[in-house]
């Protein structure tokens, strides 16, 4: 049971809460009534606003449309005015730009091109909108005048600033490739940078807007002239330098300012002056002349001989009769070789300049035209060299032909660069150098063959024979010629191979030794061809010498002559690489020459038999010691002494005037003969020197053994 007090309290609490809830409910009813009232008021306001807004919209929209139309009309008016201003400006272009066009583009190229752009737009406008208007003709005329001024400016810039490259700079450019030390790159500045920019700008405008290609002709004509003059200037530089100092010079450029060059000698390719001098004498006195030949022979061991001294002085005399023409040949050869290298370098530089100025699709054709004059000049000079060589062959002047060898070698070495430079040019241009190479190979092969034939068929015998039996000039000059080929082994071998001379020399053509081009042979095959050729020349020389030796009435002098020539050939072969080259096809050549030399020595020694036979034991009378000699025996002994004395004196007198230039061989032959004669004479003198075969022994016993030896020691010595 809940106590009454607690129940009463609980009831009061519930009543209080009920009262509060009633109050809350009453508040909510009041709030809803107010909200409904506010809603009604808001709806009334919005309805009124909507009505008013509709009235406003109906009144503003027509005004807006009218304003929009007015704005459009205003824009159209402004555009029309702008177009009118633009059109009117075309009518003023001629007057605005005429002064600028008349004064030309010099010094203000960009402004000038800007004026031309305005004129071009005016031309386009009038052509499209008013083709019959006089204004069109006026701006057209002004545009053409402006274009002509640009062309004139292009020509003027190219003419004024295109300078001939100095020989000094060209030689630096060429020698830069051959120097071992690191050098500065030699850069050719054909045009100043500012001028080059203007030229390029004009070129591009003429192509793009001027529709003109005539400036390309102007370009190649001017540059072609400069290229040609540069190469000719280099050639003239060689001539002047050689005439003043004997050797052309080129400035060295490492760590040097270009305006203060120092001189250095040019590398002289293929210098052949000494051999040319001797070979020139060979052609003048040997094959065709009738003069004595012994004064032209370089002799070993006879440096004291006046003839050799005279020859040595002549060879070293830069102003002597032997130096003039052949020095000039040497200079011309060097000049041509350097001009070929100069052409390659300058053409490369010209192409680099051309690609900046000439449009790409015109570059090859323009470059082809640009190099023609210089290239044709080189080719013509090369053909002149071939022609001169051809005439020289007819005259048997093989010194001139030798100039072909260094030139041909250089052309072949330079051909890869040539081909690269001429890449893209016409076929006729590309074929010029190969054609010249072929011509030189042909004439070189012809010269080699004719030289071999002339060695074999040299007709001079009586008038061209050395009286002292020394080395014949035919021998010395043949060896000199062959020695020159050592410097040009590949070139000479290629000459022979180019003419397919395998059949001529009985050398089988191995397919492995030839390339697909049928004109390119392996170096080994060319070497064998050259070896066979040298052996042919030596064989022809030997046959000719044998024939010439028969001119001598004295077999001993004939033997000395052959000995000297064979010994000279052998020593010359051994002192150079010729012996190795000969050995390629003739392994026993050296042994064969030694056998020939020994054979001639034996033939010579037989000349003393007529002396020693007088005192030989087999021919002496037999008598008993202490027994008085009979008159017949005494007379026989007298005859033996007299025959020996007369023979000794005669041989010494004759053979003292003979020559054996080789000191070693001369001493060897003297010693051998001295031993034989002294031994025989000593035995004879020992046996009969004390025999009373005469009352005047000094009349018959004229010489002691030592005196005989001394007399023989003076053989082959004109100064004795």
């Amino acid at each position: 049971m809940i106590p009454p007090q607690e129940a009463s309290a609980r009831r009061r609490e519930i009543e209080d809460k009920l009262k509060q809830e009633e109050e809350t409910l009453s508040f909510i009813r009041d709030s809803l009534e107010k909200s409904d009232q506010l809603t009604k008021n808001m709806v009334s306001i919005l309805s009124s606003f909507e009505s008013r807004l509709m009235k406003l919209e109906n009144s503003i929209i027509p005004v807006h449309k009218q304003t929009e139309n007015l704005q459009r009309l205003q824009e159209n008016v402004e555009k029309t005015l702008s177009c009118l201003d633009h059109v009117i400006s075309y009518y003023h272009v001629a007057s605005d730009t005429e002064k600028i066009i008349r004064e030309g583009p010099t010094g203000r190229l960009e402004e000038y091109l800007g004026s031309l752009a305005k004129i071009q737009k005016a031309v386009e406008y009038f052509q499209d909108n008013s083709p019959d208007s006089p204004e069109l003709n006026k701006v057209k005329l002004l545009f053409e005048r402006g274009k002509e001024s640009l062309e004139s400016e292009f020509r003027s810039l190219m003419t004024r600033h295109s300078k001939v490259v100095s020989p000094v700079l060209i030689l630096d450019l060429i020698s830069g490739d051959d120097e071992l030390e690191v050098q500065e790159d030699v850069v050719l500045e054909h045009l100043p940078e500012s001028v080059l920019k203007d030229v390029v700008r004009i070129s591009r405008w003429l192509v793009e807007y001027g529709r003109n290609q005539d400036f390309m002709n102007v370009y190649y004509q001017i540059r072609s002239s400069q290229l040609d003059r540069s190469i000719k200037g280099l050639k003239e530089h060689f001539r002047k330098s050689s005439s003043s100092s004997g050797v052309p010079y080129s400035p060295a450029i490492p760590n040097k300012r270009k305006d203060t060059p120092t001189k250095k000698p040019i590398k002289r390719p293929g210098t052949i002056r000494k051999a040319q001098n001797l070979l020139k004498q060979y052609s003048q006195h040997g094959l065709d002349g009738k003069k004595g030949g012994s004064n032209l022979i370089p002799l070993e061991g006879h440096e004291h001989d006046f003839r050799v001294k005279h020859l040595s002085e002549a060879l070293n005399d830069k102003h002597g009769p032997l130096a003039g023409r052949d020095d000039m040949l040497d200079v011309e050869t060097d000049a041509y070789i350097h001009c070929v290298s100069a052409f390659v370098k300058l053409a490369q530089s010209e192409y680099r300049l051309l690609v900046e100025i000439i449009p790409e699709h015109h570059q090859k054709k323009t470059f082809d035209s640009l190099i023609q004059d210089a290239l044709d000049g080189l080719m013509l000079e090369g053909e002149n060299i071939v022609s001169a060589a051809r005439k020289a062959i007819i005259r048997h002047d093989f010194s001139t032909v030798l100039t072909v060898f260094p030139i041909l070698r250089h052309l072949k070495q330079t051909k890869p660069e040539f081909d690269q430079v001429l890449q893209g040019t016409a076929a006729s241009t590309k074929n010029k150098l190969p054609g010249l190479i072929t011509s030189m190979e042909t004439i070189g092969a012809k010269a080699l063959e004719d030289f071999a034939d002339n060695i074999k068929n040299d007709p001079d015998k009586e008038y061209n024979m050395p009286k002292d039996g020394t080395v014949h000039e035919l021998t010395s000059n043949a060896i000199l010629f062959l020695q020159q080929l050592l410097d040009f082994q590949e070139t000479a071998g290629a000459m022979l191979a180019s003419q397919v001379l395998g059949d001529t020399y009985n050398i089988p053509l191995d397919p492995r030794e030839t390339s697909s081009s049928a004109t390119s042979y392996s170096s080994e095959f060319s070497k064998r061809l050259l070896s066979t050729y040298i052996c042919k020349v030596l064989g022809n020389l030997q046959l000719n010498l044998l024939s010439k030796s028969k001119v001598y009435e004295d077999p001993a002098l004939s033997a000395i002559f052959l000995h000297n020539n064979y010994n000279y050939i052998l020593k010359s072969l051994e002192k150079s690489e010729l012996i190795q080259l000969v050995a390629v096809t003739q392994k026993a050549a050296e042994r064969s020459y030694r056998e020939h030399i020994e054979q001639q020595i034996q033939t010579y020694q037989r000349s003393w038999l007529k002396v020693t036979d007088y005192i030989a034991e087999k021919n002496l009378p037999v008598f008993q010691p202490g027994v008085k000699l009979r008159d017949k025996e005494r007379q026989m002994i007298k005859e033996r002494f007299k025959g020996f004395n007369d023979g000794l004196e005669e041989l010494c007198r004759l053979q003292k005037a003979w020559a054996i230039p080789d000191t070693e061989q001369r001493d060897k032959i003297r010693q051998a003969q001295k031993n034989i004669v002294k031994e025989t004479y000593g035995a004879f003198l020992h046996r009969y020197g004390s025999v009373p075969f005469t009352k005047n022994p000094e009349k018959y016993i004229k010489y002691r053994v030592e005196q005989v030896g001394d007399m023989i020691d003076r053989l082959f010595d004109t100064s004795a």
Side-chain angles (χ1 to χ4, degrees):
M1 286 281 309
I2 299 174
Q5 290 179 350
E6 290 183 6
S8 177
R10 183 75 176 265
R11 188 168 47 252
R12 283 195 301 274
E13 183 179 352
I14 291 171
E15 288 175 354
D16 289 339
K17 286 183 178 181
L18 181 60
K19 186 178 179 181
Q20 288 177 356
E21 291 295 334
E22 287 176 352
E23 289 177 355
T24 300
L25 181 60
S26 177
F27 175 76
I28 290 172
R29 286 193 186 101
D30 291 340
S31 295
L32 285 173
E33 288 177 359
K34 289 179 180 180
S35 177
D36 288 342
Q37 186 62 40
L38 289 172
T39 298
K40 290 178 180 178
N41 292 338
M42 181 58 68
V43 170
S44 176
I45 292 171
L46 289 174
S47 297
S48 175
F49 181 76
E50 182 180 6
S51 175
R52 292 180 180 181
L53 187 61
M54 287 180 65
K55 291 179 180 180
L56 181 61
E57 183 179 354
N58 291 334
S59 62
I60 287 178
I61 286 176
V63 174
H64 173 72
K65 289 181 178 180
Q66 186 177 6
T67 303
E68 189 178 28
N69 290 334
L70 290 173
Q71 289 176 342
R72 189 179 296 110
L73 289 173
Q74 184 180 4
E75 290 176 0
N76 289 338
V77 170
E78 290 176 353
K79 288 181 179 179
T80 301
L81 291 174
S82 176
C83 288
L84 286 173
D85 291 339
H86 182 67
V87 170
I88 292 171
S89 68
Y90 289 131
Y91 286 86
H92 295 286
V93 164
S95 59
D96 292 342
T97 60
E98 185 174 8
K99 181 180 179 182
I100 297 175
I101 299 301
R102 184 174 63 251
E103 293 176 353
T106 304
R108 49 175 182 178
L109 181 61
E110 288 303 321
E111 181 184 3
Y112 190 85
L113 293 178
S115 297
L116 279 177
K118 293 178 181 179
I119 296 172
Q120 186 178 17
K121 290 179 180 179
V123 171
E124 293 172 355
Y125 170 78
F126 288 120
Q127 283 178 337
D128 294 338
N129 299 282
S130 184
D132 298 328
S133 64
E135 285 78 8
L136 175 60
N137 294 330
K138 189 172 183 179
V139 291
K140 268 187 174 181
L141 182 62
L142 197 59
F143 183 80
E144 291 299 323
R145 187 187 305 168
K147 186 169 69 172
E148 291 173 2
S149 295
L150 271 183
E151 294 171 359
S152 298
E153 179 70 4
F154 183 89
R155 179 187 294 274
S156 176
L157 288 174
M158 292 299 302
T159 302
R160 283 188 287 115
H161 297 282
S162 290
K163 304 297 183 183
V164 174
V165 183
S166 70
V168 163
L169 191 55
I170 295 176
L171 290 172
D172 282 340
L173 191 67
I174 297 173
S175 62
D177 294 341
D178 299 329
E179 298 297 328
L180 297 178
E181 64 271 14
V182 178
Q183 291 191 347
E184 301 174 10
D185 290 336
V186 180
V187 179
L188 295 181
E189 186 183 72
H190 294 291
L191 297 174
E193 186 176 355
S194 59
V195 174
L196 178 59
K197 288 181 179 179
D198 287 348
V199 168
V200 171
R201 189 79 174 86
I202 294 172
S203 167
R204 291 176 180 173
W205 189 93
L206 289 173
V207 171
E208 186 174 356
Y209 302 107
R211 306 291 189 269
N212 188 307
Q213 298 180 6
D214 292 342
F215 76 94
M216 299 179 197
N217 297 331
V218 171
Y219 177 85
Y220 89 71
Q221 289 168 1
I222 293 173
R223 295 307 307 171
S224 176
S225 174
Q226 301 306 320
L227 174 61
D228 191 39
R229 290 168 59 193
S230 297
I231 294 176
K232 289 179 178 177
L234 176 62
K235 185 176 181 180
E236 188 63 26
H237 172 76
F238 268 81
R239 290 176 177 171
K240 291 181 179 179
S241 298
S242 63
S243 62
S244 61
S245 61
V247 179
Y249 289 95
S250 169
I253 60 171
N255 302 322
K256 303 287 183 183
R257 290 182 55 191
K258 291 185 178 180
D259 56 345
T260 57
T262 58
K263 291 186 175 181
K264 69 177 181 181
I266 286 180
K267 185 179 179 182
R268 306 294 298 275
T271 302
I272 52 180
R273 183 180 298 111
K274 183 175 180 179
Q276 286 177 334
N277 286 335
L278 291 171
L279 288 171
K280 174 55 60 181
Q281 297 173 44
Y282 169 43
S283 65
Q284 292 176 345
H285 302 279
L287 292 176
D288 300 321
K290 299 297 181 183
K291 298 183 180 180
S294 61
N295 63 333
L296 299 176
I297 301 166
L299 304 178
E300 290 184 32
H302 272 209
E303 290 79 8
H304 59 279
D305 193 296
F306 171 77
R307 295 167 297 172
V308 179
K309 181 180 179 183
H310 176 72
L311 174 61
S312 177
E313 291 174 350
L315 287 173
N316 293 322
D317 184 4
K318 298 184 183 299
H319 305 287
L322 298 180
R325 182 172 180 269
D326 293 317
D327 281 349
M328 183 57 65
L329 279 175
D330 211 18
V331 171
E332 292 293 335
T333 300
D334 286 349
Y336 185 74
I337 287 173
H338 282 80
C339 285
V340 170
S341 296
F343 172 82
V344 173
K345 294 297 183 183
L346 292 176
Q348 289 172 342
S349 181
E350 286 291 344
Y351 189 76
R352 288 192 292 268
L353 176 66
L354 179 140
V355 296
E356 295 189 62
I357 299 173
I358 304 300
E360 183 176 359
H361 54 286
H362 293 286
Q363 289 171 1
K364 296 296 183 182
K365 182 179 178 181
T366 305
F367 181 70
D368 196 344
S369 300
L370 188 155
I371 62 174
Q372 283 304 313
D373 285 349
L375 181 59
D376 286 344
L378 285 178
M379 296 302 107
L380 177 60
E381 191 170 350
E383 290 298 338
N384 288 340
I385 292 171
V386 172
S387 178
R390 188 176 291 110
K391 294 176 182 177
I393 291 173
I394 297 174
R395 300 192 309 269
H396 300 156
D397 175 10
F398 295 98
S399 65
T400 302
V401 179
L402 282 174
T403 61
V404 172
F405 285 75
I407 292 173
L408 178 58
R409 179 175 64 181
H410 186 71
L411 289 179
K412 285 190 169 184
Q413 291 172 346
T414 313
K415 187 176 182 298
E417 286 186 275
F418 244 100
D419 293 341
Q420 185 177 7
V421 168
L422 301 182
Q423 186 178 6
T425 59
S428 58
T429 303
K430 294 178 183 177
N431 293 333
K432 287 180 179 180
L433 180 64
L436 179 59
I437 289 175
T438 300
S439 296
M440 286 194 172
E441 284 186 334
T442 302
I443 200 64
K446 172 68 174 172
L448 292 176
E449 283 303 293
D450 278 23
F451 183 81
D453 291 341
N454 283 321
I455 291 296
K456 180 179 180 181
N457 301 319
D458 173 30
D460 292 338
K461 295 180 181 179
E462 180 178 355
Y463 298 102
N464 202 30
M465 293 297 293
K467 295 179 180 180
D468 54 3
T470 190
V471 179
H472 197 281
E473 65 173 326
L474 179 70
T475 302
S476 61
N477 288 305
I479 294 299
L480 281 169
F481 186 88
L482 296 179
Q483 286 175 340
Q484 293 306 308
L485 297 185
L486 288 175
D487 293 332
F488 309 101
Q489 292 186 42
E490 292 185 6
T491 304
M495 284 178 176
L496 298 171
S498 69
Q499 303 304 308
V500 195
L501 296 178
D503 292 338
T504 302
Y505 297 111
N506 297 316
I507 296 180
L509 297 178
D510 190 333
R512 292 172 296 179
E513 294 179 319
T514 61
S515 71
S516 58
S517 66
T519 57
S520 177
Y521 294 81
S522 70
S523 58
E524 186 62 28
F525 179 71
S526 297
K527 190 174 184 179
R528 286 199 290 128
L529 267 180
L530 184 58
S531 173
T532 306
Y533 170 77
I534 292 174
C535 292
K536 177 182 177 180
V537 172
L538 294 176
N540 290 349
L541 177 60
Q542 185 172 341
L543 290 174
N544 199 316
L545 291 173
L546 284 171
S547 176
K548 289 181 184 299
S549 68
K550 296 175 183 178
V551 171
Y552 296 109
E553 295 179 358
D554 190 335
L557 182 55
S558 177
I560 290 296
F561 171 76
L562 291 176
H563 164 273
N564 285 334
N565 283 273
Y566 292 155
N567 183 65
Y568 180 87
I569 293 171
L570 178 60
K571 290 295 179 69
S572 298
L573 293 178
E574 290 176 335
K575 286 181 180 179
S576 64
E577 298 177 11
L578 281 172
I579 192 65
Q580 289 88 349
L581 200 54
V582 168
V584 172
T585 53
Q586 295 291 336
K587 304 292 184 184
E590 185 175 357
R591 185 179 73 249
S592 176
Y593 274 110
R594 295 193 186 281
E595 291 174 354
H596 287 318
I597 292 169
E598 189 60 35
Q599 181 182 353
Q600 298 308 318
I601 292 176
Q602 294 174 5
T603 301
Y604 162 75
Q605 289 176 342
R606 283 198 290 271
S607 69
W608 282 84
L609 290 177
K610 62 182 180 181
V611 176
T612 57
D613 278 353
Y614 279 105
I615 58 175
E617 187 175 354
K618 63 180 181 179
N619 296 325
L620 297 178
V622 179
F623 61 92
Q624 295 296 326
V627 178
K628 185 178 180 179
L629 295 175
R630 292 174 294 178
D631 292 342
K632 182 179 179 180
E633 292 173 337
R634 287 196 298 271
Q635 185 62 31
M636 183 177 293
I637 294 173
K638 290 179 182 179
E639 290 176 354
R640 300 302 182 197
F641 269 107
K642 186 176 186 304
F644 172 79
N645 292 336
D646 292 346
L648 176 65
E649 291 170 356
E650 177 67 14
L651 285 185
C652 287
R653 181 182 64 80
L654 289 175
Q655 295 184 10
K656 183 174 70 172
W658 297 355
I660 299 180
D662 189 322
T663 304
E664 181 182 350
Q665 286 290 313
R666 184 167 65 244
D667 293 343
K668 174 184 174 183
I669 292 173
R670 283 174 176 170
Q671 188 62 42
Q673 199 59 51
K674 184 168 65 173
N675 292 341
I676 295 172
V677 176
K678 285 178 65 177
E679 181 181 353
T680 306
Y681 182 64
F684 178 78
L685 195 61
H686 177 73
R687 185 169 184 177
Y688 294 102
S690 59
V691 173
F693 65 91
T694 180
K695 294 180 181 180
N696 300 309
E698 66 277 359
K699 178 180 178 181
Y700 297 97
I701 307 176
K702 297 175 64 175
Y703 304 105
R704 299 188 308 275
V705 175
E706 291 75 14
Q707 287 179 304
V708 171
D710 292 342
M711 292 174 67
I712 295 175
D713 279 338
R714 290 193 291 272
L715 298 179
F716 317 116
D717 188 356
T718 57
S719 64

